[in-house]
Amino acid sequence: METVKDILAQRNEIMKKSLGGIDYNAFEKGGLAFDYEALMKFASYPIEEVLRIQLETKVGNTPLYELKNLTNLVRKISSPGKGARILVKDEAMNASGSFKDRRAALSLFQAKKEGYRGVVAATSGNYGAAVASQALQRGLKCIIAQEVFDSRGIGQPEILEKGRKCEALGAEVWQLTVGPELFFWSLLLLKETGYFNASLYTPYGIKGIEALGYEVGIEVKARYGREPSAVLITHAGGGNVTGTARGLLESGCTNTRIIGVSVDLRGLHMASDNDFNRKSFTTGHTGFGVPFAVNPDRVDVPRNAARSLRYLDRYLLVTQGEVFYATELLTRTEGIERGPAGNTSLAAAIPLAREMPEDEILVIQETEYTGAGKHPTAQLTFSRKMGVEVIRGKPGDNIPGKRIVIPEHLSQLSYEEHSLDKLKQSYLEHTLKKNEVKKLSLSELKFLQEELKDNNNLVIDYLNSKGVMYG
Amino acid sequence: MIKSEPIKKDSYVEIKIILLKPEERVEGIPEDTRKVPFEARIKGFLVNDAYIGEEVEIITALKRIVSGTLIAVNPPFKHDFGEPVRELLEIGWEVDELWKQ
Ligand SMILES: Cc1ncc(COP(=O)(O)O)c(C=O)c1O
């Protein structure tokens, strides 16, 4: 068998063969800059075409519900006149049960069009089931590599369920132990099979989500005669934020605030064998959200099309206990059970709605399916087995990996504002170091300003403070 | 230990493969992860009769042949809904109280 080094040395060649016609070199603009919009144009389907392709394989056109009971309940604990309407886009109704079907739909359409016989995807999440489902419908073979177990062979119930679902949908499923070498193994599988790399981070993977943002924008405007004030988006790798924001813009919602939300798991190391099973959430948390925002090009394609700092207006953190509370609340007030990840933004929507006038609109842009393993009772039973304490109390007493605190009252739900400026500064620190920058060209400067949605001299101030020349 | 009957060929089984030994793992990962091998598990149909613990070949869902150590036959899905969680059950009545206010 080839070693990690052998495979990593062939990385560019394997990627190129497995990504159809995309020549990533063509988008490089010298130094650290590249032409992001040109990369996105590579998936040059007009939005109507994207919607049509998705409907062919049971994706999209999902219901947008107004959560009337929940909104009324929030108004009961808000000052008079406060308590925005809360809407949710029921993405669980897509073919395999999450918004990830949007991403897979376009990738698999493309793979088929380019004549590949199958696809490989490295993912522990809902995306595996999405790829497997779309592959079946397009008549393609499917291999999924997922990070499942710690070294004792113990896996989170949520990931075990995702594995089961991939197998049920006919995929060859490689269940791996903890570690970033998942990437190496998926490269090897790509090389061995010659299949398409259905990466989450290609322009197709993002373009598919634009349809979701677009549907939200069009429908809210048609029904309420106004744009949503804000859309809350659960943030892990950043594709959800990026695609939804782009789709909202395309629908003409230029004033809608883009709010990313993650579960706060700061302090737990994502590649740690010991920490792996001490978290109750397998996605939508800071362990992905922060590093992907700060260093997006850490993925299985040369340039990541998911770049959340280009779009985010705010980034909010909530605790695991608050998300479990919100999940239970959704069930008990609205009569629907939905899975964990989508409820991350629901948990932040509650305190946010309390601050906003009644006539404003807040949209939670996704739900995901629930079931064995992917359910609060399964997740909390497992956490207790792993030695994590589960109690009722103040959300502030939550400690990632040690204690999950389920709020005692609706009014205790809150969020922590994660400074976007700080994230942007980390991005700059990381990028300048990685590229060993001494002096920036004007085109590099412009690139950074676009990357960081900077209209406040943030980049210039940072460069000045570090004595980095530009121009 | 007395060896029982072997597992019959064509049974649905699970195998384990060590992909990387600890010393082959990549740089920059936490110490605890570096100490353990990087392993894979995969399921498929057994090519020949074999005992648990033996090196075997299987045919995967994509009809590819993969080899590794036989660890289980007809492995069950063990994930479930867990136990009822009192801390969540309580929320229903609390919501009723909120409506009354
Ligand atoms: C249901 C669900 N919601 C949200 C996310 C986060 O999306 P992203 O990784 O694009 O930020 C994921 C995947 O990680 C997911 O499966």
Side-chain angles (χ1 to χ4, degrees):
Chain A
M1 199 169 74
E2 289 177 286
T3 66
V4 187
K5 275 214 186 83
D6 297 339
I7 288 294
L8 292 181
Q10 302 163 51
R11 179 189 153 135
N12 287 339
E13 199 186 320
I14 299 173
M15 279 192 189
K16 200 161 176 191
K17 276 205 188 117
S18 62
L19 284 168
I22 310 186
D23 176 10
Y24 279 82
N25 284 330
F27 308 115
E28 291 299 321
K29 284 174 53 179
L32 51 78
F34 82 102
D35 189 341
Y36 176 61
E37 287 304 331
L39 171 65
M40 288 308 296
K41 280 215 190 73
F42 205 86
S44 63
Y45 301 98
I47 195 84
E48 293 75 22
E49 180 77 356
V50 176
L51 295 169
R52 192 191 59 73
I53 292 169
Q54 294 188 339
L55 278 180
E56 264 177 21
T57 49
K58 310 177 190 74
V59 181
N61 213 359
T62 54
L64 180 72
Y65 295 122
E66 183 172 334
L67 302 180
K68 292 201 170 115
N69 285 346
L70 187 69
T71 301
N72 283 333
L73 207 62
V74 170
R75 286 178 182 168
K76 280 190 172 280
I77 58 156
S78 309
S79 332
K82 290 283 166 73
R85 281 180 216 263
I86 303 175
L87 273 54
V88 70
K89 181 92 166 139
D90 203 11
E91 287 289 298
M93 296 299 115
N94 287 313
S96 82
S98 82
F99 92 98
K100 290 285 165 82
D101 286 307
R102 306 243 183 203
R103 309 178 85 154
L106 222 57
S107 284
L108 275 282
F109 178 82
Q110 190 67 25
K112 179 82 182 182
K113 195 168 121 182
E114 291 186 23
Y116 285 89
R117 289 189 308 115
V119 300
V120 175
T123 162
S124 313
N126 292 305
Y127 189 57
V131 172
S133 163
Q134 293 297 310
L136 276 181
Q137 295 183 71
R138 297 270 175 213
L140 295 171
K141 310 244 188 238
C142 173
I143 303 181
I144 302 295
Q146 29 170 237
E147 185 183 50
V148 180
F149 302 112
D150 66 13
S151 59
R152 297 171 296 169
I154 297 179
Q156 301 246 354
E158 205 192 332
I159 303 186
L160 294 178
E161 163 55 19
K162 288 165 176 171
R164 180 209 62 81
K165 184 142 182 159
C166 292
E167 285 172 357
L169 292 168
E172 178 180 302
V173 183
W174 288 83
Q175 301 198 300
L176 306 169
T177 50
V178 182
E181 294 97 334
L182 170 69
F183 174 62
F184 143 78
W185 191 247
S186 64
L187 279 178
L188 200 137
L189 290 167
L190 283 169
K191 185 182 169 192
E192 222 172 79
T193 57
Y195 288 173
F196 183 79
N197 179 5
S199 160
L200 280 157
Y201 305 105
T202 63
Y204 310 113
I206 303 309
K207 191 84 194 177
I209 313 168
E210 288 179 14
L212 163 52
Y214 185 80
E215 284 177 18
V216 167
I218 296 291
E219 190 152 356
V220 169
K221 284 199 293 185
R223 227 197 276 172
Y224 300 93
R226 62 185 299 164
E227 295 180 20
S229 295
V231 175
L232 287 102
I233 309 164
T234 301
H235 186 327
N240 202 15
V241 166
T242 305
T244 303
R246 291 175 62 89
L248 281 162
L249 286 173
E250 196 145 355
S251 75
C253 292
T254 47
N255 297 306
T256 301
R257 312 258 295 158
I258 303 301
I259 304 183
V261 187
S262 295
V263 178
D264 187 0
L265 289 185
R266 286 173 300 178
L268 292 183
H269 198 302
M270 293 308 132
S272 160
D273 188 52
N274 291 333
D275 286 354
F276 185 64
N277 281 322
R278 300 191 69 84
K279 52 186 195 285
S280 289
F281 285 79
T282 59
T283 189
H285 55 67
T286 50
F288 294 132
V290 171
F292 275 84
V294 166
N295 175 20
D297 296 317
R298 50 175 33 243
V299 292
D300 53 356
V301 287
R303 286 289 195 176
N304 187 351
R307 310 183 86 84
S308 64
L309 289 180
R310 285 182 172 250
Y311 300 97
L312 282 175
D313 293 307
R314 298 174 74 179
Y315 184 35
L316 309 180
L317 307 186
V318 292
T319 63
Q320 299 186 92
E322 285 171 312
V323 181
F324 286 126
Y325 185 97
T327 305
E328 189 68 19
L329 198 67
L330 179 71
T331 305
R332 294 297 195 126
T333 56
E334 296 293 338
I336 51 175
E337 282 189 286
R338 295 292 182 270
N343 297 329
T344 301
S345 48
L346 173 65
I350 292 167
L352 210 61
R354 284 179 76 186
E355 302 166 6
M356 293 165 52
E358 281 186 350
D359 59 341
E360 295 201 17
I361 293 167
L362 262 186
V363 181
I364 297 149
Q365 52 72 271
E366 60 149 334
T367 58
E368 63 166 318
Y369 86 100
T370 190
K374 268 165 75 87
H375 193 278
T377 53
Q379 294 169 285
L380 288 171
T381 301
F382 181 74
S383 292
R384 282 194 159 125
K385 268 198 199 123
M386 294 294 113
V388 176
E389 189 186 5
V390 179
I391 56 166
R392 309 270 330 249
K394 292 194 289 296
D397 293 337
N398 160 81
I399 309 172
K402 295 211 167 65
R403 188 191 300 138
I404 293 174
V405 185
I406 308 204
E408 289 169 305
H409 195 271
L410 183 60
S411 62
Q412 288 177 320
L413 267 73
S414 66
Y415 56 78
E416 181 181 334
E417 186 96 39
H418 195 301
S419 158
L420 278 180
D421 280 1
K422 285 224 175 83
L423 281 182
K424 291 175 182 180
Q425 283 156 0
S426 309
Y427 173 104
L428 288 169
E429 186 185 330
H430 180 87
T431 305
L432 296 184
K433 202 160 120 198
K434 186 163 108 185
N435 293 279
E436 296 174 5
V437 171
K438 302 261 147 36
K439 181 168 187 283
L440 283 180
S441 69
L442 277 182
S443 105
E444 288 176 303
L445 177 62
K446 182 154 172 281
F447 170 76
L448 289 176
Q449 287 167 328
E450 284 167 5
E451 276 281 275
L452 302 179
K453 201 178 161 179
D454 172 27
N455 22 40
N456 257 333
N457 277 337
L458 178 131
V459 176
I460 298 265
D461 288 347
Y462 184 87
L463 296 176
N464 287 341
S465 77
K466 300 286 166 196
V468 178
M469 314 256 279
Y470 51 89
Chain B
M1 204 177 82
I2 309 157
K3 275 202 175 175
S4 51
E5 289 289 294
I7 291 164
K8 288 273 174 260
K9 79 181 238 188
D10 208 32
S11 303
Y12 191 62
V13 298
E14 184 171 26
I15 60 170
K16 178 161 132 177
I17 308 152
I18 297 194
L19 302 180
L20 299 172
K21 298 190 203 98
E23 61 273 19
E24 293 168 332
R25 300 203 64 158
V26 298
E27 302 288 315
I29 56 176
E31 271 309 301
D32 56 345
T33 313
R34 250 186 117 60
K35 279 196 203 121
V36 292
F38 180 58
E39 296 173 353
R41 293 171 188 218
I42 180 169
K43 294 171 198 157
F45 296 98
L46 191 59
V47 173
N48 293 306
D49 290 7
Y51 290 97
I52 296 282
E54 283 183 344
E55 282 301 299
V56 298
E57 284 183 336
I58 61 164
I59 300 171
T60 71
L62 295 194
K63 301 208 171 112
R64 302 191 321 137
I65 303 261
V66 175
S67 48
T69 312
L70 184 60
I71 57 169
V73 57
N74 222 18
F77 298 107
K78 293 200 191 102
H79 63 290
D80 55 21
F81 282 92
E83 296 161 11
V85 177
R86 188 194 167 86
E87 289 77 1
L88 295 177
L89 287 170
E90 293 166 355
I91 294 171
W93 284 356
E94 291 162 17
V95 168
D96 293 344
E97 286 305 308
L98 271 177
W99 283 126
K100 286 190 205 137
Q101 277 169 30

